[in-house]
Amino acid sequence: MKTERDLTGLPGGLGVLARLDGGSPLPELTAAVNAVCEEAEEPGERTLVVLRFTPSPPPAAREWPGDVSIQEVNRWERAVRRLERLDNVNIAVAEGTCGGPVLDLLLASDFRIGTPDLRLMLPINDGHFWPGMSLYRLVQHIGLARARRIVLWDSAISLADATELGIIDQVSDDLSEAIHTAAVLRGRLSDRETRIRRRLLEEAASAEYHDALGAHLAACDRELRRLRDNGPGTPTGRAADRTEVAG
């Protein structure tokens, strides 16, 4: 596995690029994801996180996670959740045949780029879909009916299906250019406000309206105060001064 800090091609030194081999042992991948999170969490300028996956040979792409302990699985799931909850915008880039942990990390990312030859091999062991949190994220992301079809009947997700389902957001032959463009457009959004909006989106999938209202009002109040602090003399700031949060 190759995991490195590489700012080449990311404008303004804005991003951390990690190259991950989906065929690597689970403990190594867990350590790599945690290392990326630690670097992104360092104080300083806002940082975009880019995860770039190398294609896996078919056997490695098929079976996941191999002969591991439940403690190692738990550490992996905690690392993925840590990535998912970063203040930073995280972008996943996949090419060729990918499987195993790649689906976990794609579903935990904010923006996903794939090449025209991308094919996602689902984590199947002895004919059964691996019951990790990718199953949960699939339901949250694409709905129960479509997730059921994939989990119970499919062995792979084609690029066409991945794009139609929203698992892949952009298809590009030139990954370097696609990463550069995504970094310019989305890197400036990396801050705590992104994490708050990501959480509200996640909760909207299951929360009742009145249960969600309090969290959204709290976020609106925070945003009004942020805008007021950033420009009390500006039109935005004056508008915020006139706005009250309804109880």
PDB file of all heavy atoms in Angstrom, residues 40-72:
ATOM      1  N   ALA A  40      -5.546  16.153   8.454  1.00  0.00           N
ATOM      2  CA  ALA A  40      -6.595  17.112   8.132  1.00  0.00           C
ATOM      3  C   ALA A  40      -7.051  17.888   9.362  1.00  0.00           C
ATOM      4  O   ALA A  40      -7.488  19.039   9.248  1.00  0.00           O
ATOM      5  CB  ALA A  40      -7.785  16.391   7.508  1.00  0.00           C
ATOM      6  N   GLU A  41      -6.957  17.266  10.524  1.00  0.00           N
ATOM      7  CA  GLU A  41      -7.413  17.900  11.758  1.00  0.00           C
ATOM      8  C   GLU A  41      -6.388  18.861  12.358  1.00  0.00           C
ATOM      9  O   GLU A  41      -6.693  19.572  13.318  1.00  0.00           O
ATOM     10  CB  GLU A  41      -7.765  16.827  12.789  1.00  0.00           C
ATOM     11  CG  GLU A  41      -9.023  16.035  12.429  1.00  0.00           C
ATOM     12  CD  GLU A  41      -9.161  14.756  13.220  1.00  0.00           C
ATOM     13  OE1 GLU A  41      -8.178  14.351  13.890  1.00  0.00           O
ATOM     14  OE2 GLU A  41     -10.232  14.135  13.167  1.00  0.00           O
ATOM     15  N   GLU A  42      -5.181  18.888  11.790  1.00  0.00           N
ATOM     16  CA  GLU A  42      -4.166  19.813  12.294  1.00  0.00           C
ATOM     17  C   GLU A  42      -4.638  21.250  12.121  1.00  0.00           C
ATOM     18  O   GLU A  42      -5.211  21.597  11.092  1.00  0.00           O
ATOM     19  CB  GLU A  42      -2.846  19.617  11.535  1.00  0.00           C
ATOM     20  CG  GLU A  42      -2.072  18.372  11.929  1.00  0.00           C
ATOM     21  CD  GLU A  42      -1.531  18.462  13.340  1.00  0.00           C
ATOM     22  OE1 GLU A  42      -1.059  19.540  13.735  1.00  0.00           O
ATOM     23  OE2 GLU A  42      -1.602  17.445  14.056  1.00  0.00           O
ATOM     24  N   PRO A  43      -4.420  22.104  13.118  1.00  0.00           N
ATOM     25  CA  PRO A  43      -4.832  23.504  12.975  1.00  0.00           C
ATOM     26  C   PRO A  43      -4.061  24.189  11.853  1.00  0.00           C
ATOM     27  O   PRO A  43      -2.917  23.851  11.562  1.00  0.00           O
ATOM     28  CB  PRO A  43      -4.494  24.115  14.342  1.00  0.00           C
ATOM     29  CG  PRO A  43      -3.434  23.222  14.919  1.00  0.00           C
ATOM     30  CD  PRO A  43      -3.744  21.843  14.410  1.00  0.00           C
ATOM     31  N   GLY A  44      -4.698  25.134  11.238  1.00  0.00           N
ATOM     32  CA  GLY A  44      -4.059  25.847  10.127  1.00  0.00           C
ATOM     33  C   GLY A  44      -5.076  26.161   9.070  1.00  0.00           C
ATOM     34  O   GLY A  44      -6.270  26.303   9.324  1.00  0.00           O
ATOM     35  N   GLU A  45      -4.616  26.267   7.835  1.00  0.00           N
ATOM     36  CA  GLU A  45      -5.512  26.598   6.738  1.00  0.00           C
ATOM     37  C   GLU A  45      -6.474  25.449   6.477  1.00  0.00           C
ATOM     38  O   GLU A  45      -6.193  24.294   6.764  1.00  0.00           O
ATOM     39  CB  GLU A  45      -4.701  26.883   5.464  1.00  0.00           C
ATOM     40  CG  GLU A  45      -3.827  28.125   5.565  1.00  0.00           C
ATOM     41  CD  GLU A  45      -3.130  28.426   4.250  1.00  0.00           C
ATOM     42  OE1 GLU A  45      -3.406  27.704   3.273  1.00  0.00           O
ATOM     43  OE2 GLU A  45      -2.329  29.373   4.215  1.00  0.00           O
ATOM     44  N   ARG A  46      -7.609  25.798   5.903  1.00  0.00           N
ATOM     45  CA  ARG A  46      -8.587  24.770   5.558  1.00  0.00           C
ATOM     46  C   ARG A  46      -7.967  23.765   4.584  1.00  0.00           C
ATOM     47  O   ARG A  46      -7.224  24.125   3.686  1.00  0.00           O
ATOM     48  CB  ARG A  46      -9.816  25.426   4.943  1.00  0.00           C
ATOM     49  CG  ARG A  46     -10.555  26.325   5.915  1.00  0.00           C
ATOM     50  CD  ARG A  46     -11.706  27.023   5.257  1.00  0.00           C
ATOM     51  NE  ARG A  46     -11.260  27.937   4.204  1.00  0.00           N
ATOM     52  CZ  ARG A  46     -12.079  28.657   3.463  1.00  0.00           C
ATOM     53  NH1 ARG A  46     -13.379  28.558   3.638  1.00  0.00           N
ATOM     54  NH2 ARG A  46     -11.619  29.472   2.532  1.00  0.00           N
ATOM     55  N   THR A  47      -8.306  22.524   4.758  1.00  0.00           N
ATOM     56  CA  THR A  47      -7.655  21.473   3.989  1.00  0.00           C
ATOM     57  C   THR A  47      -8.672  20.566   3.323  1.00  0.00           C
ATOM     58  O   THR A  47      -9.582  20.052   3.972  1.00  0.00           O
ATOM     59  CB  THR A  47      -6.752  20.612   4.900  1.00  0.00           C
ATOM     60  OG1 THR A  47      -5.824  21.459   5.561  1.00  0.00           O
ATOM     61  CG2 THR A  47      -6.000  19.573   4.102  1.00  0.00           C
ATOM     62  N   LEU A  48      -8.524  20.383   2.032  1.00  0.00           N
ATOM     63  CA  LEU A  48      -9.320  19.426   1.279  1.00  0.00           C
ATOM     64  C   LEU A  48      -8.676  18.050   1.397  1.00  0.00           C
ATOM     65  O   LEU A  48      -7.454  17.921   1.359  1.00  0.00           O
ATOM     66  CB  LEU A  48      -9.355  19.852  -0.190  1.00  0.00           C
ATOM     67  CG  LEU A  48     -10.215  19.031  -1.135  1.00  0.00           C
ATOM     68  CD1 LEU A  48     -11.673  19.412  -0.979  1.00  0.00           C
ATOM     69  CD2 LEU A  48      -9.757  19.277  -2.575  1.00  0.00           C
ATOM     70  N   VAL A  49      -9.473  17.020   1.573  1.00  0.00           N
ATOM     71  CA  VAL A  49      -8.969  15.646   1.647  1.00  0.00           C
ATOM     72  C   VAL A  49      -9.356  14.916   0.366  1.00  0.00           C
ATOM     73  O   VAL A  49     -10.531  14.878   0.000  1.00  0.00           O
ATOM     74  CB  VAL A  49      -9.550  14.908   2.871  1.00  0.00           C
ATOM     75  CG1 VAL A  49      -9.160  13.431   2.836  1.00  0.00           C
ATOM     76  CG2 VAL A  49      -9.062  15.548   4.162  1.00  0.00           C
ATOM     77  N   VAL A  50      -8.370  14.363  -0.314  1.00  0.00           N
ATOM     78  CA  VAL A  50      -8.610  13.580  -1.524  1.00  0.00           C
ATOM     79  C   VAL A  50      -8.104  12.164  -1.294  1.00  0.00           C
ATOM     80  O   VAL A  50      -6.939  11.959  -0.946  1.00  0.00           O
ATOM     81  CB  VAL A  50      -7.900  14.187  -2.751  1.00  0.00           C
ATOM     82  CG1 VAL A  50      -8.139  13.315  -3.986  1.00  0.00           C
ATOM     83  CG2 VAL A  50      -8.384  15.613  -3.014  1.00  0.00           C
ATOM     84  N   LEU A  51      -8.971  11.189  -1.466  1.00  0.00           N
ATOM     85  CA  LEU A  51      -8.593   9.780  -1.396  1.00  0.00           C
ATOM     86  C   LEU A  51      -8.612   9.219  -2.817  1.00  0.00           C
ATOM     87  O   LEU A  51      -9.651   9.257  -3.492  1.00  0.00           O
ATOM     88  CB  LEU A  51      -9.575   8.993  -0.525  1.00  0.00           C
ATOM     89  CG  LEU A  51      -9.776   9.462   0.913  1.00  0.00           C
ATOM     90  CD1 LEU A  51     -10.802   8.572   1.610  1.00  0.00           C
ATOM     91  CD2 LEU A  51      -8.459   9.454   1.673  1.00  0.00           C
ATOM     92  N   ARG A  52      -7.478   8.705  -3.256  1.00  0.00           N
ATOM     93  CA  ARG A  52      -7.391   8.146  -4.607  1.00  0.00           C
ATOM     94  C   ARG A  52      -7.085   6.660  -4.506  1.00  0.00           C
ATOM     95  O   ARG A  52      -6.080   6.251  -3.919  1.00  0.00           O
ATOM     96  CB  ARG A  52      -6.314   8.865  -5.427  1.00  0.00           C
ATOM     97  CG  ARG A  52      -6.259   8.395  -6.866  1.00  0.00           C
ATOM     98  CD  ARG A  52      -5.466   9.345  -7.730  1.00  0.00           C
ATOM     99  NE  ARG A  52      -5.408   8.877  -9.112  1.00  0.00           N
ATOM    100  CZ  ARG A  52      -4.864   9.554 -10.110  1.00  0.00           C
ATOM    101  NH1 ARG A  52      -4.330  10.751  -9.893  1.00  0.00           N
ATOM    102  NH2 ARG A  52      -4.849   9.063 -11.338  1.00  0.00           N
ATOM    103  N   PHE A  53      -7.971   5.845  -5.064  1.00  0.00           N
ATOM    104  CA  PHE A  53      -7.857   4.399  -4.951  1.00  0.00           C
ATOM    105  C   PHE A  53      -7.246   3.799  -6.206  1.00  0.00           C
ATOM    106  O   PHE A  53      -7.631   4.138  -7.321  1.00  0.00           O
ATOM    107  CB  PHE A  53      -9.238   3.774  -4.726  1.00  0.00           C
ATOM    108  CG  PHE A  53     -10.005   4.396  -3.601  1.00  0.00           C
ATOM    109  CD1 PHE A  53     -11.094   5.218  -3.855  1.00  0.00           C
ATOM    110  CD2 PHE A  53      -9.627   4.186  -2.282  1.00  0.00           C
ATOM    111  CE1 PHE A  53     -11.807   5.807  -2.829  1.00  0.00           C
ATOM    112  CE2 PHE A  53     -10.333   4.775  -1.253  1.00  0.00           C
ATOM    113  CZ  PHE A  53     -11.418   5.580  -1.516  1.00  0.00           C
ATOM    114  N   THR A  54      -6.313   2.896  -6.005  1.00  0.00           N
ATOM    115  CA  THR A  54      -5.734   2.157  -7.120  1.00  0.00           C
ATOM    116  C   THR A  54      -6.589   0.930  -7.404  1.00  0.00           C
ATOM    117  O   THR A  54      -7.209   0.374  -6.496  1.00  0.00           O
ATOM    118  CB  THR A  54      -4.297   1.723  -6.801  1.00  0.00           C
ATOM    119  OG1 THR A  54      -4.313   0.889  -5.630  1.00  0.00           O
ATOM    120  CG2 THR A  54      -3.423   2.936  -6.529  1.00  0.00           C
ATOM    121  N   PRO A  55      -6.670   0.488  -8.668  1.00  0.00           N
ATOM    122  CA  PRO A  55      -7.460  -0.705  -8.986  1.00  0.00           C
ATOM    123  C   PRO A  55      -6.934  -1.922  -8.238  1.00  0.00           C
ATOM    124  O   PRO A  55      -5.739  -2.045  -7.974  1.00  0.00           O
ATOM    125  CB  PRO A  55      -7.284  -0.847 -10.503  1.00  0.00           C
ATOM    126  CG  PRO A  55      -6.871   0.507 -10.977  1.00  0.00           C
ATOM    127  CD  PRO A  55      -6.065   1.098  -9.859  1.00  0.00           C
ATOM    128  N   SER A  56      -7.857  -2.836  -7.916  1.00  0.00           N
ATOM    129  CA  SER A  56      -7.481  -4.061  -7.205  1.00  0.00           C
ATOM    130  C   SER A  56      -7.610  -5.259  -8.134  1.00  0.00           C
ATOM    131  O   SER A  56      -8.508  -5.293  -8.980  1.00  0.00           O
ATOM    132  CB  SER A  56      -8.383  -4.272  -5.989  1.00  0.00           C
ATOM    133  OG  SER A  56      -8.300  -3.183  -5.103  1.00  0.00           O
ATOM    134  N   PRO A  57      -6.748  -6.277  -7.986  1.00  0.00           N
ATOM    135  CA  PRO A  57      -6.927  -7.509  -8.758  1.00  0.00           C
ATOM    136  C   PRO A  57      -8.231  -8.172  -8.341  1.00  0.00           C
ATOM    137  O   PRO A  57      -8.668  -8.016  -7.194  1.00  0.00           O
ATOM    138  CB  PRO A  57      -5.708  -8.347  -8.371  1.00  0.00           C
ATOM    139  CG  PRO A  57      -5.256  -7.788  -7.063  1.00  0.00           C
ATOM    140  CD  PRO A  57      -5.580  -6.334  -7.097  1.00  0.00           C
ATOM    141  N   PRO A  58      -8.906  -8.892  -9.244  1.00  0.00           N
ATOM    142  CA  PRO A  58     -10.223  -9.463  -8.952  1.00  0.00           C
ATOM    143  C   PRO A  58     -10.350 -10.211  -7.630  1.00  0.00           C
ATOM    144  O   PRO A  58     -11.312  -9.982  -6.907  1.00  0.00           O
ATOM    145  CB  PRO A  58     -10.472 -10.379 -10.157  1.00  0.00           C
ATOM    146  CG  PRO A  58      -9.717  -9.723 -11.263  1.00  0.00           C
ATOM    147  CD  PRO A  58      -8.469  -9.155 -10.631  1.00  0.00           C
ATOM    148  N   PRO A  59      -9.430 -11.099  -7.250  1.00  0.00           N
ATOM    149  CA  PRO A  59      -9.622 -11.798  -5.970  1.00  0.00           C
ATOM    150  C   PRO A  59      -9.673 -10.841  -4.788  1.00  0.00           C
ATOM    151  O   PRO A  59     -10.486 -10.980  -3.885  1.00  0.00           O
ATOM    152  CB  PRO A  59      -8.399 -12.723  -5.899  1.00  0.00           C
ATOM    153  CG  PRO A  59      -7.969 -12.893  -7.309  1.00  0.00           C
ATOM    154  CD  PRO A  59      -8.240 -11.575  -7.962  1.00  0.00           C
ATOM    155  N   ALA A  60      -8.782  -9.851  -4.779  1.00  0.00           N
ATOM    156  CA  ALA A  60      -8.747  -8.906  -3.668  1.00  0.00           C
ATOM    157  C   ALA A  60      -9.985  -8.019  -3.678  1.00  0.00           C
ATOM    158  O   ALA A  60     -10.476  -7.598  -2.629  1.00  0.00           O
ATOM    159  CB  ALA A  60      -7.487  -8.057  -3.742  1.00  0.00           C
ATOM    160  N   ALA A  61     -10.479  -7.727  -4.885  1.00  0.00           N
ATOM    161  CA  ALA A  61     -11.653  -6.867  -4.981  1.00  0.00           C
ATOM    162  C   ALA A  61     -12.909  -7.578  -4.507  1.00  0.00           C
ATOM    163  O   ALA A  61     -13.859  -6.947  -4.070  1.00  0.00           O
ATOM    164  CB  ALA A  61     -11.825  -6.398  -6.425  1.00  0.00           C
ATOM    165  N   ARG A  62     -12.928  -8.885  -4.589  1.00  0.00           N
ATOM    166  CA  ARG A  62     -14.138  -9.637  -4.276  1.00  0.00           C
ATOM    167  C   ARG A  62     -14.318  -9.864  -2.781  1.00  0.00           C
ATOM    168  O   ARG A  62     -15.377  -9.602  -2.217  1.00  0.00           O
ATOM    169  CB  ARG A  62     -14.103 -10.982  -5.021  1.00  0.00           C
ATOM    170  CG  ARG A  62     -15.192 -11.957  -4.598  1.00  0.00           C
ATOM    171  CD  ARG A  62     -16.589 -11.405  -4.813  1.00  0.00           C
ATOM    172  NE  ARG A  62     -16.833 -11.150  -6.221  1.00  0.00           N
ATOM    173  CZ  ARG A  62     -17.647 -10.223  -6.690  1.00  0.00           C
ATOM    174  NH1 ARG A  62     -18.265  -9.416  -5.859  1.00  0.00           N
ATOM    175  NH2 ARG A  62     -17.833 -10.058  -7.979  1.00  0.00           N
ATOM    176  N   GLU A  63     -13.312 -10.402  -2.112  1.00  0.00           N
ATOM    177  CA  GLU A  63     -13.474 -10.792  -0.716  1.00  0.00           C
ATOM    178  C   GLU A  63     -13.047  -9.668   0.225  1.00  0.00           C
ATOM    179  O   GLU A  63     -11.993  -9.066   0.056  1.00  0.00           O
ATOM    180  CB  GLU A  63     -12.659 -12.055  -0.436  1.00  0.00           C
ATOM    181  CG  GLU A  63     -13.129 -13.249  -1.243  1.00  0.00           C
ATOM    182  CD  GLU A  63     -12.322 -14.499  -0.954  1.00  0.00           C
ATOM    183  OE1 GLU A  63     -11.393 -14.417  -0.110  1.00  0.00           O
ATOM    184  OE2 GLU A  63     -12.606 -15.538  -1.552  1.00  0.00           O
ATOM    185  N   TRP A  64     -13.871  -9.421   1.202  1.00  0.00           N
ATOM    186  CA  TRP A  64     -13.631  -8.343   2.153  1.00  0.00           C
ATOM    187  C   TRP A  64     -14.358  -8.663   3.455  1.00  0.00           C
ATOM    188  O   TRP A  64     -15.488  -9.114   3.423  1.00  0.00           O
ATOM    189  CB  TRP A  64     -14.134  -7.020   1.563  1.00  0.00           C
ATOM    190  CG  TRP A  64     -14.191  -5.876   2.548  1.00  0.00           C
ATOM    191  CD1 TRP A  64     -15.295  -5.362   3.152  1.00  0.00           C
ATOM    192  CD2 TRP A  64     -13.080  -5.134   3.048  1.00  0.00           C
ATOM    193  NE1 TRP A  64     -14.943  -4.342   3.990  1.00  0.00           N
ATOM    194  CE2 TRP A  64     -13.600  -4.176   3.938  1.00  0.00           C
ATOM    195  CE3 TRP A  64     -11.703  -5.182   2.828  1.00  0.00           C
ATOM    196  CZ2 TRP A  64     -12.794  -3.277   4.622  1.00  0.00           C
ATOM    197  CZ3 TRP A  64     -10.908  -4.282   3.501  1.00  0.00           C
ATOM    198  CH2 TRP A  64     -11.440  -3.343   4.385  1.00  0.00           C
ATOM    199  N   PRO A  65     -13.730  -8.480   4.596  1.00  0.00           N
ATOM    200  CA  PRO A  65     -12.394  -7.918   4.844  1.00  0.00           C
ATOM    201  C   PRO A  65     -11.308  -8.971   5.087  1.00  0.00           C
ATOM    202  O   PRO A  65     -10.219  -8.626   5.519  1.00  0.00           O
ATOM    203  CB  PRO A  65     -12.643  -7.126   6.125  1.00  0.00           C
ATOM    204  CG  PRO A  65     -13.642  -7.951   6.870  1.00  0.00           C
ATOM    205  CD  PRO A  65     -14.528  -8.560   5.832  1.00  0.00           C
ATOM    206  N   GLY A  66     -11.607 -10.230   4.831  1.00  0.00           N
ATOM    207  CA  GLY A  66     -10.612 -11.275   5.066  1.00  0.00           C
ATOM    208  C   GLY A  66     -10.670 -11.795   6.493  1.00  0.00           C
ATOM    209  O   GLY A  66     -11.642 -11.586   7.227  1.00  0.00           O
ATOM    210  N   ASP A  67      -9.606 -12.473   6.889  1.00  0.00           N
ATOM    211  CA  ASP A  67      -9.536 -13.094   8.218  1.00  0.00           C
ATOM    212  C   ASP A  67      -9.097 -12.055   9.242  1.00  0.00           C
ATOM    213  O   ASP A  67      -7.902 -11.857   9.486  1.00  0.00           O
ATOM    214  CB  ASP A  67      -8.556 -14.275   8.181  1.00  0.00           C
ATOM    215  CG  ASP A  67      -8.542 -15.041   9.503  1.00  0.00           C
ATOM    216  OD1 ASP A  67      -9.438 -14.782  10.346  1.00  0.00           O
ATOM    217  OD2 ASP A  67      -7.635 -15.867   9.698  1.00  0.00           O
ATOM    218  N   VAL A  68     -10.058 -11.368   9.829  1.00  0.00           N
ATOM    219  CA  VAL A  68      -9.774 -10.304  10.799  1.00  0.00           C
ATOM    220  C   VAL A  68     -10.647 -10.510  12.029  1.00  0.00           C
ATOM    221  O   VAL A  68     -11.599 -11.295  12.022  1.00  0.00           O
ATOM    222  CB  VAL A  68     -10.048  -8.904  10.205  1.00  0.00           C
ATOM    223  CG1 VAL A  68      -9.126  -8.632   9.021  1.00  0.00           C
ATOM    224  CG2 VAL A  68     -11.508  -8.769   9.775  1.00  0.00           C
ATOM    225  N   SER A  69     -10.316  -9.796  13.091  1.00  0.00           N
ATOM    226  CA  SER A  69     -11.111  -9.860  14.311  1.00  0.00           C
ATOM    227  C   SER A  69     -12.204  -8.798  14.286  1.00  0.00           C
ATOM    228  O   SER A  69     -12.123  -7.823  13.537  1.00  0.00           O
ATOM    229  CB  SER A  69     -10.214  -9.651  15.539  1.00  0.00           C
ATOM    230  OG  SER A  69      -9.737  -8.314  15.571  1.00  0.00           O
ATOM    231  N   ILE A  70     -13.216  -8.977  15.127  1.00  0.00           N
ATOM    232  CA  ILE A  70     -14.279  -7.984  15.200  1.00  0.00           C
ATOM    233  C   ILE A  70     -13.737  -6.667  15.741  1.00  0.00           C
ATOM    234  O   ILE A  70     -14.253  -5.586  15.402  1.00  0.00           O
ATOM    235  CB  ILE A  70     -15.446  -8.498  16.070  1.00  0.00           C
ATOM    236  CG1 ILE A  70     -16.674  -7.589  15.926  1.00  0.00           C
ATOM    237  CG2 ILE A  70     -15.032  -8.637  17.524  1.00  0.00           C
ATOM    238  CD1 ILE A  70     -17.203  -7.474  14.528  1.00  0.00           C
ATOM    239  N   GLN A  71     -12.690  -6.708  16.559  1.00  0.00           N
ATOM    240  CA  GLN A  71     -12.059  -5.474  17.049  1.00  0.00           C
ATOM    241  C   GLN A  71     -11.438  -4.682  15.896  1.00  0.00           C
ATOM    242  O   GLN A  71     -11.528  -3.442  15.851  1.00  0.00           O
ATOM    243  CB  GLN A  71     -11.004  -5.788  18.100  1.00  0.00           C
ATOM    244  CG  GLN A  71     -11.558  -6.294  19.428  1.00  0.00           C
ATOM    245  CD  GLN A  71     -11.950  -7.764  19.391  1.00  0.00           C
ATOM    246  OE1 GLN A  71     -11.555  -8.485  18.457  1.00  0.00           O
ATOM    247  NE2 GLN A  71     -12.714  -8.206  20.363  1.00  0.00           N
ATOM    248  N   GLU A  72     -10.832  -5.390  14.940  1.00  0.00           N
ATOM    249  CA  GLU A  72     -10.246  -4.716  13.777  1.00  0.00           C
ATOM    250  C   GLU A  72     -11.334  -4.121  12.887  1.00  0.00           C
ATOM    251  O   GLU A  72     -11.168  -3.019  12.334  1.00  0.00           O
ATOM    252  CB  GLU A  72      -9.380  -5.696  12.991  1.00  0.00           C
ATOM    253  CG  GLU A  72      -8.085  -6.062  13.700  1.00  0.00           C
ATOM    254  CD  GLU A  72      -7.334  -7.182  13.018  1.00  0.00           C
ATOM    255  OE1 GLU A  72      -7.983  -8.146  12.539  1.00  0.00           O
ATOM    256  OE2 GLU A  72      -6.098  -7.107  12.958  1.00  0.00           O
TER     257      GLU A  72
END
